[in-house]
Amino acid sequence: MLVATLHKPMATHILRLCLAPAALLAVASLPLAAQLPSTPGTKATIVGSPAALAGSKQDPESVERGFALFTAKCGGCHGATAKGTNRAPDLVRSLLMLDDEKGLLVGPVIKAGRPDKGMPNLGLTDPQVADIVAWLHVQTYSADHRSTYLFLDALTGDAKKGEAYFNGAGTCNKCHNPAEDLKGIGAKYDAHDLQGRWLQPRRGGAGGGGRGGRGGGGGRGAAAAPAVSRSTVTVTVTMADGKKFDGVLDRVDDFNVAWKDASGEFHSVSRNGDSPKVEIHDPLRAHVDLLKTYKDADIHNVTAFLASLK
């Protein structure tokens, strides 16, 4: 991401543009308020967020007109989000846009075109050019300020299909029950948080279950019984003489395996190939394995199903 503190070359770096007519998106005719939600989980378009509009100090009505114009006149080459295609470059992060103030640099290029570079003169009026510039500045501001991003609607799936996947191909019902452990989950989390939680249930916490992963055993502090939950990663270590040790996994890699036993005592032994034998028990392993199999529709459908469990 480019930030405002980056050194910007002189304006002699001319942006290579390619503008061509494209079909106007139907959403462009929607009222601006319908396109600029302030809460996660709502439908939105790419006009811009309220925070980006305020921060970039652009006129909302001009930005809305600019979005419609850009989509119709420029999106065919630069893409509907102005982030470039194989026909024309990214405008949002372009040096010319980053250097631009009030359209003084990019405006003349949009107005006159660059026929020698494949960009036609589209016959736009000065107010139309100003509107396109205003919209582009909102997009550039958004790219430079993460907090202004919009969270688009996560509930685009089919809850019935999600339920079928839950009970069928996903085999989620082997571990979960909508009437028990998942009861009310749709009311507990918003759609985006809910989707992240079921896709990566150990997100932000200990990874465990893999080389170099930690199982949440609590580290090497004073002896204390390790916290154990339904997601805790445990390990069974079988020594060469057949003696077995069980506990909460602390760490495992090619060279060592470490764990805490039920009393909280920390243990660590060296590994030499398959000796000692290490068996890791990760209750969330199924989630990890399924990540490789999900289709986009599966993710949205399951999210819709879970969100319906109020």
Side-chain angles (χ1 to χ4, degrees):
M1 174 178 291
L2 296 175
V3 295
T5 55
L6 286 179
H7 172 71
K8 301 171 184 174
M10 297 296 289
T12 50
H13 288 269
I14 302 299
L15 178 66
R16 186 176 181 185
L17 304 175
C18 173
L19 305 179
L24 179 62
L25 295 179
V27 293
S29 62
L30 294 175
L32 185 62
Q35 302 178 34
L36 304 178
S38 58
T39 57
T42 55
K43 293 187 187 317
T45 71
I46 55 174
V47 171
S49 69
L53 279 168
S56 62
K57 297 180 173 59
Q58 301 298 319
D59 175 58
E61 293 184 359
S62 178
V63 172
E64 184 178 11
R65 293 191 300 267
F67 167 67
L69 282 166
F70 186 90
T71 303
K73 302 292 186 181
C74 318
C77 285
H78 291 282
T81 61
K83 292 180 180 176
T85 69
N86 59 354
R87 300 179 61 187
D90 182 341
L91 303 184
V92 175
R93 299 171 180 82
S94 70
L95 296 176
L96 193 65
M97 275 303 304
L98 291 172
D99 279 327
D100 185 74
E101 291 185 20
K102 301 183 184 300
L104 295 178
L105 298 179
V106 73
V109 180
I110 297 175
K111 173 76 173 178
R114 298 192 66 188
D116 59 318
K117 302 295 184 181
M119 174 185 168
N121 181 327
L122 298 173
L124 297 170
T125 66
D126 289 339
Q128 287 176 321
V129 171
D131 288 342
I132 291 176
V133 170
W135 179 77
L136 285 172
H137 273 294
V138 171
Q139 309 316 305
T140 298
Y141 187 90
S142 294
D144 193 32
H145 298 78
R146 290 180 181 272
S147 61
T148 66
Y149 286 178
L150 283 172
F151 289 95
L152 301 183
D153 187 16
L155 295 179
T156 59
D158 185 316
K160 289 294 184 183
K161 291 181 179 178
E163 182 178 15
Y165 183 86
F166 182 95
N167 294 317
T171 65
C172 310
N173 60 345
K174 288 186 176 180
C175 298
H176 302 286
N177 188 325
E180 296 178 3
D181 63 311
L182 297 182
K183 185 177 181 179
I185 195 171
K188 188 175 181 180
Y189 305 105
D190 68 41
H192 292 86
D193 195 16
L194 180 60
Q195 181 167 290
R197 284 175 178 274
W198 79 264
L199 283 175
Q200 296 182 334
R202 198 176 276 118
R203 62 178 184 165
R211 291 182 177 179
R214 302 188 69 89
R220 299 170 174 77
V228 178
S229 70
R230 61 181 297 165
S231 63
T232 300
V233 182
T234 59
V235 64
T236 299
V237 179
T238 305
M239 308 303 290
D241 61 5
K243 192 172 183 179
K244 290 187 176 183
F245 298 89
D246 296 294
V248 173
L249 179 66
D250 180 86
R251 186 173 185 84
V252 61
D253 55 33
D254 288 336
F255 308 102
N256 297 276
V257 58
W259 68 95
K260 273 192 172 184
D261 63 25
S263 67
E265 288 295 328
F266 179 81
H267 303 266
S268 178
V269 297
S270 299
R271 301 182 66 191
N272 183 9
D274 294 330
S275 181
K277 181 181 179 181
V278 175
E279 300 172 87
I280 297 171
H281 317 290
D282 183 358
L284 300 181
R285 186 67 198 179
H287 286 263
V288 177
D289 293 338
L290 281 170
L291 276 175
K292 299 176 288 186
T293 69
Y294 295 135
K295 295 179 180 178
D296 187 63
D298 297 331
I299 293 173
H300 291 291
N301 291 340
V302 171
T303 300
F305 169 60
L306 294 177
S308 72
L309 302 178
K310 305 293 187 182

